[in-house]
Amino acid sequence: MKILILNGSPRLHGNTSKVVRTMDSMLAQEHTVELLDICSMQLSGCVACDACKANGGHCVRPDESDAVIRKIAEADAVIFGTPVYWWGMSAQLKMVVDKFYSQDSQFKTMKKKIGVVVTGANGLDDPQYRLIDEQFRCIAEYLHWDMAFSLAFAAYEPGEVMQQEGILAQLQDACEKIAQ
C-alpha cells in the first residue's frame, strides 16, 4: 500500500511532527510511505482562476502544490497531520486542501482512505478538535473517500504528546486502520 503523510506543522520538532513521524516509522515496516513536511515547501493559496479546470487539473501557480496534489492522487491513503491554529487546521495544510479543487472531479473517482491527526494545547473537550474532525469528514464524504481514523491529542510543549499514556497503542491502531 502507498501511504502519503502530510505534516502540516511548521514546528518540525513539535507534537504533530512527532506523531506523524512515529506513524511513518510504524507504517514503513510494511508499506511504501512518504512523509511531506509541507511547511517547508513553496505553496500558495488557490486564487480561483479556474485555469486548472481548462488544463486537465493542474494548478498553474508557480509553486509545489501541483506536485503535492499529484502525490495525493497516486497514494492509496493519506494521513493529514495538523496542529490547531485558531480552531482549524494550519494555514499551510489548508493551502494544500484548497488545491483539491484542481482535481475534485478526478479525486471523486479514486478510492482512498484518509486519517487525521490533530494536536492542540487545549483539553480534548474544546470544540477545536470537533471542528477540524468535521471538516475532514465533510471532505471525505464529498470525495467519496473512507475516513479510517481521526485522532486528537492535547499537548503543548514540544514532545509532550509522546509522553502520554497509551499513545503508541493509539497510533498503532490508527496505522492498522489506514492500512486495511
Side-chain angles (χ1 to χ4, degrees), residues 1 113 175-180:
M1 175 174 266
K113 287 186 175 186
C175 289
E176 289 170 10
K177 287 178 180 173
I178 199 92
Q180 290 177 342

Side-chain angles (χ1 to χ4, degrees), residues 51-166:
C52 60
K53 298 302 180 184
N55 71 13
H58 301 285
C59 181
V60 296
R61 302 279 295 180
D63 66 11
E64 295 178 85
S65 62
D66 198 50
V68 175
I69 296 300
R70 196 171 28 246
K71 288 178 183 289
I72 291 168
E74 294 168 356
D76 300 305
V78 182
I79 297 173
F80 299 88
T82 185
V84 176
Y85 279 26
W86 282 90
W87 296 275
M89 71 181 84
S90 69
Q92 296 88 344
L93 185 57
K94 184 68 165 84
M95 282 192 289
V96 171
V97 170
D98 285 349
K99 296 287 182 94
F100 280 25
Y101 177 73
S102 67
Q103 290 284 322
D104 63 350
S105 296
Q106 295 88 334
F107 277 178
K108 285 181 178 181
T109 67
M110 299 175 179
K111 183 172 173 48
K112 294 199 183 299
K113 287 186 175 186
I114 68 168
V116 178
V117 175
V118 180
T119 59
N122 293 2
L124 293 178
D125 59 340
D126 192 284
Q128 62 193 7
Y129 304 103
R130 178 184 47 80
L131 293 170
I132 296 170
D133 174 74
E134 287 177 10
Q135 185 172 21
F136 277 102
R137 287 186 187 279
C138 288
I139 291 166
E141 182 179 335
Y142 176 74
L143 295 174
H144 311 293
W145 291 355
D146 179 33
M147 184 80 151
F149 69 85
S150 180
L151 293 174
F153 300 102
Y156 180 73
E157 295 298 326
E160 179 183 343
V161 70
M162 297 311 295
Q163 306 306 313
Q164 295 181 11
E165 186 175 327

